[in-house]
């Protein structure tokens, strides 16, 4: 174990981070198992190494109901993520992985897309509260891959990417999905839509519909995304929008 409260440990780790930055060329940090030490300690490392980007892994359990599924209200879960960023410094480069969105999205794509509209009408994950500080993802090396600890439904992975690559937050693409699953071209199309229309971490999200079989949202008035098996949604799509990407139970205009 590392004693992060030990001043010598802090000094040596800060020196190592600055060496990685100055000599090797890294410009961002990922804080693994960030709930294992205080946000005050993470703040020391960030403040003294000044990365351009930092993201923390704060993986805690969602609130579940008697049916074994996540409760609709996950405010306590996303508040924990917000609190970490607040303590480290909300005006700095610190962000957190949006595990709240990951957990809700895992279940929503299995015929419960109504979950993607929170009780306040906004996105139910951290992106609904503080999208500029939320790093969204479908899977990572812990949840998916060989560890397979909390995997996204494999036949619906592209629905997950259609969501995070069109929505606010900073989306993160999983290496395995991009290089090993044969999804590179589909993911690339969604990335190009995001880039072309300037969708960013603080883009404005308007949820048009959120039913069991349909989720429809407009982002910045430029992009519309549909998840779910409901096919005919032409009456809900404003004039002038053309399909830019589509796949199994998703489409982007």
């Amino acid at each position: 174990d590392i004693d992060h409260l030990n001043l010598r440990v802090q000094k040596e780790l800060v020196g190592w981070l600055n060496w990685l930055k100055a000599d090797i060329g890294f410009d961002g940090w990922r804080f693994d198992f960030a709930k294992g030490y205080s946000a005050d300690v993470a703040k020391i490392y960030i403040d003294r190494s000044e990365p351009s980007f930092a993201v923390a892994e704060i993986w805690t359990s969602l609130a579940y109901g008697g049916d074994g599924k996540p409760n609709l209200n996950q405010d306590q879960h996303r508040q924990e993520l917000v609190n970490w960023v607040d303590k480290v410094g909300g005006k700095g480069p610190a962000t957190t992985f949006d595990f709240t969105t990951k957990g809700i999205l895992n279940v929503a794509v299995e015929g419960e897309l109504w979950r993607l509209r929170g009780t306040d009408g906004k996105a139910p994950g951290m992106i609904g509260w503080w999208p500029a500080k939320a790093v969204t993802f479908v899977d990572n090396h812990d949840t998916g891959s060989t560890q397979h600890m909390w995997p996204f439904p494999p036949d619906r992975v592209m629905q997950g990417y259609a969501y995070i690559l069109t929505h606010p937050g900073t989306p993160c693409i999983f290496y395995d999905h991009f290089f090993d699953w044969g999804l590179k071209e589909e993911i690339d199309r969604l990335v190009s839509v995001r880039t072309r229309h300037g969708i960013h971490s603080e883009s404005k999200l308007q949820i048009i519909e959120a039913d069991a079989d349909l989720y429809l949202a407009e982002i910045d008035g430029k992009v519309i995304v549909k998840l779910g098996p409901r096919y005919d949604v032409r009456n809900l799509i404003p004039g002038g929008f053309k399909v830019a990407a589509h796949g199994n139970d998703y489409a982007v205009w």
Side-chain angles (χ1 to χ4, degrees), residues 108-154:
V109 296
E110 300 273 32
E112 299 181 4
L113 291 165
W114 49 267
R115 291 178 177 274
L116 296 180
R117 176 159 52 194
T119 53
D120 58 1
K122 299 179 181 179
M126 188 182 177
I127 59 170
W129 279 3
W130 203 355
K133 296 296 183 177
V135 175
T136 52
F137 67 104
V138 174
D139 264 327
N140 63 27
H141 63 283
D142 290 320
T143 68
S145 195
T146 54
Q147 298 199 65
H148 221 61
M149 292 173 66
W150 198 28
F152 203 84

Short mmCIF file of all heavy atoms in Angstrom, two decimals, residues 108-154:
data_model
loop_
_atom_site.label_atom_id
_atom_site.label_comp_id
_atom_site.label_asym_id
_atom_site.label_seq_id
_atom_site.Cartn_x
_atom_site.Cartn_y
_atom_site.Cartn_z
N ALA A 108 -31.06 0.29 -19.57
CA ALA A 108 -32.02 1.00 -20.42
C ALA A 108 -32.13 0.38 -21.81
O ALA A 108 -33.22 0.28 -22.37
CB ALA A 108 -31.63 2.47 -20.53
N VAL A 109 -30.99 -0.06 -22.37
CA VAL A 109 -31.02 -0.59 -23.73
C VAL A 109 -31.70 -1.96 -23.82
O VAL A 109 -31.94 -2.47 -24.91
CB VAL A 109 -29.59 -0.68 -24.33
CG1 VAL A 109 -28.99 0.70 -24.47
CG2 VAL A 109 -28.69 -1.60 -23.51
N GLU A 110 -32.01 -2.55 -22.67
CA GLU A 110 -32.70 -3.84 -22.65
C GLU A 110 -34.21 -3.65 -22.57
O GLU A 110 -34.90 -4.30 -21.79
CB GLU A 110 -32.21 -4.68 -21.46
CG GLU A 110 -30.73 -4.98 -21.47
CD GLU A 110 -30.38 -6.23 -22.26
OE1 GLU A 110 -31.08 -6.52 -23.25
OE2 GLU A 110 -29.43 -6.92 -21.87
N GLY A 111 -34.74 -2.70 -23.36
CA GLY A 111 -36.18 -2.51 -23.42
C GLY A 111 -36.74 -1.60 -22.34
O GLY A 111 -37.95 -1.59 -22.09
N GLU A 112 -35.88 -0.78 -21.72
CA GLU A 112 -36.33 0.14 -20.67
C GLU A 112 -35.73 1.53 -20.91
O GLU A 112 -35.15 2.15 -20.02
CB GLU A 112 -35.94 -0.39 -19.28
CG GLU A 112 -36.57 -1.74 -18.95
CD GLU A 112 -36.21 -2.25 -17.57
OE1 GLU A 112 -35.52 -1.53 -16.81
OE2 GLU A 112 -36.62 -3.37 -17.23
N LEU A 113 -35.89 2.01 -22.13
CA LEU A 113 -35.27 3.29 -22.52
C LEU A 113 -35.88 4.48 -21.80
O LEU A 113 -35.29 5.57 -21.82
CB LEU A 113 -35.36 3.46 -24.04
CG LEU A 113 -34.47 2.49 -24.83
CD1 LEU A 113 -34.85 2.45 -26.30
CD2 LEU A 113 -32.99 2.87 -24.69
N TRP A 114 -37.01 4.30 -21.15
CA TRP A 114 -37.58 5.38 -20.34
C TRP A 114 -36.63 5.81 -19.23
O TRP A 114 -36.72 6.93 -18.71
CB TRP A 114 -38.92 4.94 -19.73
CG TRP A 114 -38.88 3.59 -19.05
CD1 TRP A 114 -39.18 2.38 -19.60
CD2 TRP A 114 -38.51 3.32 -17.68
NE1 TRP A 114 -39.03 1.38 -18.68
CE2 TRP A 114 -38.62 1.93 -17.49
CE3 TRP A 114 -38.10 4.12 -16.61
CZ2 TRP A 114 -38.32 1.30 -16.27
CZ3 TRP A 114 -37.80 3.51 -15.40
CH2 TRP A 114 -37.92 2.12 -15.24
N ARG A 115 -35.71 4.93 -18.88
CA ARG A 115 -34.75 5.25 -17.81
C ARG A 115 -33.82 6.40 -18.19
O ARG A 115 -33.17 6.99 -17.31
CB ARG A 115 -33.89 4.02 -17.49
CG ARG A 115 -34.64 2.88 -16.81
CD ARG A 115 -33.72 1.69 -16.57
NE ARG A 115 -34.38 0.62 -15.86
CZ ARG A 115 -34.49 0.54 -14.53
NH1 ARG A 115 -33.96 1.49 -13.78
NH2 ARG A 115 -35.09 -0.48 -13.96
N LEU A 116 -33.73 6.71 -19.48
CA LEU A 116 -32.78 7.73 -19.93
C LEU A 116 -33.32 9.15 -19.80
O LEU A 116 -32.65 10.10 -20.21
CB LEU A 116 -32.36 7.46 -21.38
CG LEU A 116 -31.61 6.14 -21.59
CD1 LEU A 116 -31.24 5.95 -23.05
CD2 LEU A 116 -30.34 6.09 -20.72
N ARG A 117 -34.50 9.28 -19.21
CA ARG A 117 -35.00 10.61 -18.85
C ARG A 117 -35.20 10.62 -17.34
O ARG A 117 -36.04 9.90 -16.82
CB ARG A 117 -36.30 10.95 -19.58
CG ARG A 117 -36.87 12.30 -19.12
CD ARG A 117 -37.84 12.92 -20.12
NE ARG A 117 -38.89 12.02 -20.54
CZ ARG A 117 -39.68 12.24 -21.59
NH1 ARG A 117 -39.51 13.34 -22.34
NH2 ARG A 117 -40.64 11.40 -21.92
N GLY A 118 -34.45 11.44 -16.65
CA GLY A 118 -34.57 11.53 -15.20
C GLY A 118 -35.85 12.23 -14.78
O GLY A 118 -36.59 12.77 -15.61
N THR A 119 -36.10 12.24 -13.49
CA THR A 119 -37.33 12.85 -12.96
C THR A 119 -37.38 14.35 -13.24
O THR A 119 -38.46 14.94 -13.25
CB THR A 119 -37.44 12.60 -11.44
OG1 THR A 119 -36.22 13.03 -10.81
CG2 THR A 119 -37.63 11.12 -11.15
N ASP A 120 -36.21 14.96 -13.48
CA ASP A 120 -36.17 16.41 -13.80
C ASP A 120 -36.21 16.66 -15.30
O ASP A 120 -36.07 17.80 -15.74
CB ASP A 120 -34.92 17.04 -13.18
CG ASP A 120 -33.62 16.39 -13.66
OD1 ASP A 120 -33.69 15.45 -14.49
OD2 ASP A 120 -32.53 16.81 -13.20
N GLY A 121 -36.38 15.59 -16.09
CA GLY A 121 -36.45 15.75 -17.55
C GLY A 121 -35.09 15.79 -18.22
O GLY A 121 -35.01 15.90 -19.44
N LYS A 122 -34.04 15.71 -17.44
CA LYS A 122 -32.67 15.74 -17.98
C LYS A 122 -32.08 14.34 -18.02
O LYS A 122 -32.70 13.37 -17.57
CB LYS A 122 -31.79 16.66 -17.12
CG LYS A 122 -32.26 18.10 -17.07
CD LYS A 122 -31.35 18.93 -16.18
CE LYS A 122 -31.80 20.38 -16.09
NZ LYS A 122 -30.92 21.19 -15.21
N ALA A 123 -30.87 14.22 -18.54
CA ALA A 123 -30.17 12.94 -18.53
C ALA A 123 -29.98 12.49 -17.08
O ALA A 123 -29.69 13.31 -16.20
CB ALA A 123 -28.82 13.06 -19.22
N PRO A 124 -30.15 11.20 -16.79
CA PRO A 124 -30.15 10.74 -15.40
C PRO A 124 -28.77 10.52 -14.80
O PRO A 124 -28.65 10.32 -13.59
CB PRO A 124 -30.90 9.40 -15.49
CG PRO A 124 -30.59 8.89 -16.87
CD PRO A 124 -30.49 10.12 -17.73
N GLY A 125 -27.71 10.56 -15.61
CA GLY A 125 -26.37 10.36 -15.08
C GLY A 125 -25.71 11.67 -14.69
O GLY A 125 -26.36 12.73 -14.59
N MET A 126 -24.40 11.62 -14.48
CA MET A 126 -23.67 12.84 -14.13
C MET A 126 -23.78 13.88 -15.24
O MET A 126 -23.74 15.08 -14.98
CB MET A 126 -22.20 12.51 -13.86
CG MET A 126 -21.40 13.68 -13.31
SD MET A 126 -19.67 13.27 -13.04
CE MET A 126 -19.01 14.85 -12.50
N ILE A 127 -23.95 13.43 -16.50
CA ILE A 127 -24.06 14.40 -17.60
C ILE A 127 -25.32 15.26 -17.47
O ILE A 127 -25.41 16.32 -18.09
CB ILE A 127 -24.02 13.73 -18.99
CG1 ILE A 127 -25.15 12.70 -19.16
CG2 ILE A 127 -22.67 13.13 -19.27
CD1 ILE A 127 -25.29 12.18 -20.58
N GLY A 128 -26.28 14.83 -16.66
CA GLY A 128 -27.47 15.64 -16.44
C GLY A 128 -27.23 16.78 -15.47
O GLY A 128 -28.01 17.74 -15.42
N TRP A 129 -26.16 16.66 -14.68
CA TRP A 129 -25.85 17.68 -13.67
C TRP A 129 -24.63 18.52 -14.04
O TRP A 129 -24.64 19.73 -13.93
CB TRP A 129 -25.61 17.02 -12.31
CG TRP A 129 -26.86 16.67 -11.57
CD1 TRP A 129 -28.15 16.84 -12.01
CD2 TRP A 129 -26.95 16.09 -10.27
NE1 TRP A 129 -29.03 16.40 -11.07
CE2 TRP A 129 -28.33 15.94 -9.98
CE3 TRP A 129 -26.01 15.67 -9.32
CZ2 TRP A 129 -28.78 15.38 -8.79
CZ3 TRP A 129 -26.46 15.13 -8.14
CH2 TRP A 129 -27.82 15.00 -7.87
N TRP A 130 -23.54 17.87 -14.40
CA TRP A 130 -22.29 18.58 -14.64
C TRP A 130 -21.56 17.92 -15.81
O TRP A 130 -20.52 17.29 -15.64
CB TRP A 130 -21.42 18.54 -13.38
CG TRP A 130 -20.41 19.65 -13.29
CD1 TRP A 130 -20.12 20.60 -14.23
CD2 TRP A 130 -19.53 19.90 -12.18
NE1 TRP A 130 -19.13 21.43 -13.79
CE2 TRP A 130 -18.75 21.04 -12.54
CE3 TRP A 130 -19.33 19.31 -10.95
CZ2 TRP A 130 -17.79 21.56 -11.69
CZ3 TRP A 130 -18.36 19.82 -10.09
CH2 TRP A 130 -17.60 20.94 -10.45
N PRO A 131 -22.10 18.05 -17.02
CA PRO A 131 -21.56 17.33 -18.16
C PRO A 131 -20.11 17.67 -18.49
O PRO A 131 -19.37 16.83 -19.00
CB PRO A 131 -22.50 17.70 -19.31
CG PRO A 131 -23.14 18.99 -18.88
CD PRO A 131 -23.26 18.89 -17.40
N ALA A 132 -19.71 18.90 -18.21
CA ALA A 132 -18.34 19.31 -18.52
C ALA A 132 -17.31 18.48 -17.75
O ALA A 132 -16.15 18.38 -18.16
CB ALA A 132 -18.14 20.79 -18.19
N LYS A 133 -17.74 17.87 -16.64
CA LYS A 133 -16.82 17.10 -15.78
C LYS A 133 -17.09 15.60 -15.83
O LYS A 133 -16.54 14.84 -15.02
CB LYS A 133 -16.94 17.62 -14.34
CG LYS A 133 -16.50 19.06 -14.16
CD LYS A 133 -15.02 19.22 -14.48
CE LYS A 133 -14.51 20.63 -14.24
NZ LYS A 133 -13.06 20.74 -14.48
N ALA A 134 -17.94 15.17 -16.75
CA ALA A 134 -18.31 13.76 -16.85
C ALA A 134 -17.67 13.10 -18.06
O ALA A 134 -17.83 13.57 -19.19
CB ALA A 134 -19.83 13.64 -16.94
N VAL A 135 -16.92 12.03 -17.84
CA VAL A 135 -16.34 11.24 -18.93
C VAL A 135 -17.20 9.99 -19.11
O VAL A 135 -17.22 9.11 -18.26
CB VAL A 135 -14.87 10.85 -18.63
CG1 VAL A 135 -14.32 9.94 -19.72
CG2 VAL A 135 -14.01 12.10 -18.49
N THR A 136 -17.93 9.96 -20.20
CA THR A 136 -18.86 8.86 -20.45
C THR A 136 -18.16 7.70 -21.15
O THR A 136 -17.19 7.89 -21.88
CB THR A 136 -20.05 9.34 -21.30
OG1 THR A 136 -19.55 10.00 -22.47
CG2 THR A 136 -20.93 10.30 -20.51
N PHE A 137 -18.67 6.50 -20.91
CA PHE A 137 -18.07 5.31 -21.51
C PHE A 137 -19.10 4.19 -21.55
O PHE A 137 -20.08 4.19 -20.80
CB PHE A 137 -16.83 4.87 -20.72
CG PHE A 137 -17.12 4.37 -19.32
CD1 PHE A 137 -17.10 3.01 -19.04
CD2 PHE A 137 -17.42 5.25 -18.28
CE1 PHE A 137 -17.38 2.54 -17.76
CE2 PHE A 137 -17.70 4.79 -17.00
CZ PHE A 137 -17.67 3.43 -16.74
N VAL A 138 -18.87 3.23 -22.44
CA VAL A 138 -19.75 2.07 -22.56
C VAL A 138 -19.18 0.90 -21.75
O VAL A 138 -19.90 0.24 -21.01
CB VAL A 138 -19.91 1.67 -24.05
CG1 VAL A 138 -20.72 0.37 -24.19
CG2 VAL A 138 -20.61 2.80 -24.82
N ASP A 139 -17.90 0.66 -21.89
CA ASP A 139 -17.17 -0.35 -21.11
C ASP A 139 -15.74 0.11 -20.96
O ASP A 139 -15.26 0.95 -21.72
CB ASP A 139 -17.20 -1.72 -21.81
CG ASP A 139 -18.32 -2.63 -21.31
OD1 ASP A 139 -18.66 -2.55 -20.11
OD2 ASP A 139 -18.85 -3.42 -22.12
N ASN A 140 -15.03 -0.49 -19.99
CA ASN A 140 -13.60 -0.27 -19.86
C ASN A 140 -12.92 -1.60 -19.56
O ASN A 140 -13.56 -2.66 -19.61
CB ASN A 140 -13.29 0.80 -18.79
CG ASN A 140 -13.73 0.38 -17.39
OD1 ASN A 140 -13.80 -0.81 -17.07
ND2 ASN A 140 -14.01 1.35 -16.54
N HIS A 141 -11.64 -1.57 -19.24
CA HIS A 141 -10.88 -2.80 -19.03
C HIS A 141 -11.36 -3.60 -17.83
O HIS A 141 -11.11 -4.81 -17.74
CB HIS A 141 -9.39 -2.49 -18.89
CG HIS A 141 -9.07 -1.64 -17.69
ND1 HIS A 141 -9.32 -0.29 -17.66
CD2 HIS A 141 -8.56 -1.95 -16.48
CE1 HIS A 141 -8.95 0.20 -16.49
NE2 HIS A 141 -8.49 -0.78 -15.75
N ASP A 142 -12.04 -2.96 -16.90
CA ASP A 142 -12.60 -3.67 -15.74
C ASP A 142 -13.99 -4.24 -16.04
O ASP A 142 -14.27 -5.41 -15.76
CB ASP A 142 -12.71 -2.73 -14.53
CG ASP A 142 -11.37 -2.37 -13.94
OD1 ASP A 142 -10.50 -3.25 -13.86
OD2 ASP A 142 -11.18 -1.20 -13.57
N THR A 143 -14.85 -3.39 -16.58
CA THR A 143 -16.26 -3.80 -16.75
C THR A 143 -16.43 -4.79 -17.90
O THR A 143 -17.26 -5.69 -17.86
CB THR A 143 -17.16 -2.58 -17.02
OG1 THR A 143 -16.86 -2.01 -18.30
CG2 THR A 143 -17.00 -1.54 -15.92
N GLY A 144 -15.62 -4.61 -18.96
CA GLY A 144 -15.72 -5.50 -20.12
C GLY A 144 -14.46 -6.33 -20.25
O GLY A 144 -13.88 -6.77 -19.26
N SER A 145 -14.00 -6.55 -21.47
CA SER A 145 -12.75 -7.26 -21.75
C SER A 145 -12.71 -8.61 -21.03
O SER A 145 -13.72 -9.27 -20.84
CB SER A 145 -11.56 -6.37 -21.34
OG SER A 145 -10.37 -6.85 -21.89
N THR A 146 -11.52 -9.01 -20.60
CA THR A 146 -11.37 -10.33 -19.97
C THR A 146 -11.94 -10.37 -18.56
O THR A 146 -12.34 -11.43 -18.09
CB THR A 146 -9.88 -10.72 -19.91
OG1 THR A 146 -9.16 -9.67 -19.27
CG2 THR A 146 -9.32 -10.90 -21.32
N GLN A 147 -11.98 -9.22 -17.86
CA GLN A 147 -12.48 -9.21 -16.49
C GLN A 147 -14.00 -9.35 -16.44
O GLN A 147 -14.54 -9.95 -15.52
CB GLN A 147 -12.02 -7.95 -15.76
CG GLN A 147 -10.51 -7.85 -15.65
CD GLN A 147 -10.08 -6.89 -14.57
OE1 GLN A 147 -10.33 -7.10 -13.39
NE2 GLN A 147 -9.42 -5.81 -14.98
N HIS A 148 -14.67 -8.70 -17.40
CA HIS A 148 -16.11 -8.94 -17.58
C HIS A 148 -16.89 -8.77 -16.27
O HIS A 148 -17.74 -9.58 -15.91
CB HIS A 148 -16.30 -10.37 -18.10
CG HIS A 148 -17.36 -10.47 -19.16
ND1 HIS A 148 -17.27 -9.80 -20.36
CD2 HIS A 148 -18.53 -11.15 -19.20
CE1 HIS A 148 -18.33 -10.08 -21.10
NE2 HIS A 148 -19.11 -10.89 -20.42
N MET A 149 -16.61 -7.68 -15.55
CA MET A 149 -17.21 -7.50 -14.22
C MET A 149 -18.56 -6.79 -14.25
O MET A 149 -19.34 -6.92 -13.31
CB MET A 149 -16.22 -6.73 -13.32
CG MET A 149 -14.98 -7.52 -12.98
SD MET A 149 -13.75 -6.54 -12.11
CE MET A 149 -14.58 -6.21 -10.56
N TRP A 150 -18.83 -6.01 -15.29
CA TRP A 150 -20.10 -5.28 -15.37
C TRP A 150 -20.33 -4.92 -16.83
O TRP A 150 -20.50 -3.75 -17.18
CB TRP A 150 -20.02 -4.02 -14.50
CG TRP A 150 -21.30 -3.38 -14.12
CD1 TRP A 150 -22.52 -3.96 -13.96
CD2 TRP A 150 -21.48 -1.99 -13.83
NE1 TRP A 150 -23.45 -3.02 -13.59
CE2 TRP A 150 -22.85 -1.80 -13.49
CE3 TRP A 150 -20.64 -0.88 -13.82
CZ2 TRP A 150 -23.37 -0.56 -13.16
CZ3 TRP A 150 -21.16 0.35 -13.47
CH2 TRP A 150 -22.51 0.50 -13.15
N PRO A 151 -20.34 -5.92 -17.72
CA PRO A 151 -20.30 -5.63 -19.15
C PRO A 151 -21.60 -5.05 -19.68
O PRO A 151 -22.69 -5.34 -19.20
CB PRO A 151 -20.04 -7.01 -19.77
CG PRO A 151 -20.64 -7.97 -18.80
CD PRO A 151 -20.39 -7.36 -17.44
N PHE A 152 -21.46 -4.23 -20.71
CA PHE A 152 -22.60 -3.72 -21.45
C PHE A 152 -23.18 -4.88 -22.25
O PHE A 152 -22.43 -5.75 -22.71
CB PHE A 152 -22.13 -2.62 -22.41
CG PHE A 152 -23.20 -1.66 -22.82
CD1 PHE A 152 -23.52 -0.57 -22.02
CD2 PHE A 152 -23.90 -1.83 -24.00
CE1 PHE A 152 -24.50 0.33 -22.39
CE2 PHE A 152 -24.90 -0.95 -24.38
CZ PHE A 152 -25.19 0.15 -23.56
N PRO A 153 -24.51 -4.94 -22.44
CA PRO A 153 -25.08 -6.01 -23.27
C PRO A 153 -24.39 -6.04 -24.63
O PRO A 153 -24.44 -5.06 -25.38
CB PRO A 153 -26.56 -5.60 -23.39
CG PRO A 153 -26.83 -4.79 -22.17
CD PRO A 153 -25.56 -4.05 -21.89
N PRO A 154 -23.70 -7.14 -24.97
CA PRO A 154 -22.82 -7.15 -26.14
C PRO A 154 -23.51 -6.88 -27.48
O PRO A 154 -22.91 -6.31 -28.38
CB PRO A 154 -22.21 -8.56 -26.11
CG PRO A 154 -23.10 -9.37 -25.23
CD PRO A 154 -23.67 -8.41 -24.23
#
